[in-house]
Amino acid sequence: MLTLLETEKVKNPVHVGDKNQTDEFVFVKISNHPRLQALLFTVILILYIMSLMGNILIGIIIKLNPALHIPMYYFISNLSLVDICYTSVTIPKMLAILLSEDRTISFTACAAQLYFFIALGPTECFLLASMAYDRFTAICNPLHYVSLMNKRRCVQLVAGSWVSGLLLSLGQTSLIVTLPFCADNRINHFFCDVTPLLSLACGDTSRNEIALFAACILIVIIPSMLILVSYGRIISTILKITSAQQRHKAFSTCSSHLIVIALFYGSATAMYLRPTSSYTPERDKFLALFYSVVTPTLNPIIYSLRSKDIKKALRSLILGKSLTPNCKQPAIA
């Protein structure tokens, strides 16, 4: 309903080797109705501002409050940084397309957007897995938690998440940008993503589909299995706790993380763990909006509402008070 295919054809073809290659893409117009365009622009802009403000606020609260300088909140602050980058890679261009008649994007800019968007996905997957390991260690092995989750280990997990995402994206992006795009340059999507670009390629994309599926196994299935195993052990340990109050406290420390995992992995699995032949632009647009706009907006809300420490730190920040570390977990910052 929102998509109206237009008749623009390939613009400005250049010669690359023995194949024609477009030097720009054109995003398909969402609607010919100005009011609908304005409504979408307003909604996405509000969500973008909420996402930026929420995630920046989470980072500031954690940075300024010594009581939150522990592994769990170190991972949450990095997750907030990922969400800020996620939205900033895609939404500004999306808003410009909705606001302007110029819906073109250069080949180089599209490749850059694709690279950073792909890189942030694996980074978030590995960060969520690291957070599950942190909760597993804290609940199932509390006596060794300080030695296992020391500052060096936390920095290694976070750095490994970022580096892995950047390297994996380099391989995927290289495979896509070297494909010939010579038939049509209209992207029926909100931004440069893997599946819409593969659907435009006029060459054989079977290698790309295999590489994409293998990457999804590595960055979705394996971390999700680690998360499932970790939480299986966590639930088993919590159920053995005799005190109902202690059980509730243990569950509450994991609930926000589980909600974020369900939102992220649910949309990512529906989007990428399927053959390209089943690609449907309308469904993929909805999923893309969900995990690139809605999820980064919900994450800080979820952590703020579910975490007593963050709510307490926020009140202290508003009232101009300071908190001192009151836990035995290792400080990170």
Side-chain angles (χ1 to χ4, degrees), residues 75 78-79 82 118-134 154 156-169 214-227 257 261 264-265:
F75 291 124
N78 273 274
L79 188 63
V82 170
I118 294 176
L120 293 166
T123 301
E124 184 156 354
C125 284
F126 296 137
L127 279 175
L128 291 172
S130 299
M131 293 170 72
Y133 174 71
D134 171 66
C154 293
Q156 287 174 341
L157 288 171
V158 168
S161 298
W162 282 97
V163 171
S164 298
L166 294 172
L167 291 178
L168 284 168
S169 179
C216 287
I217 295 295
L218 177 63
I219 65 180
V220 176
I221 301 299
I222 294 178
S224 64
M225 291 302 297
L226 293 174
I227 291 171
H257 184 222
I261 288 172
F264 180 79
Y265 276 93

Side-chain angles (χ1 to χ4, degrees), residues 21-38:
Q21 180 83 12
T22 183
D23 65 350
E24 69 176 22
F25 294 101
V26 180
F27 291 101
V28 171
K29 197 171 185 179
I30 297 172
S31 173
N32 276 338
H33 300 287
R35 289 184 178 179
L36 182 56
Q37 293 267 113

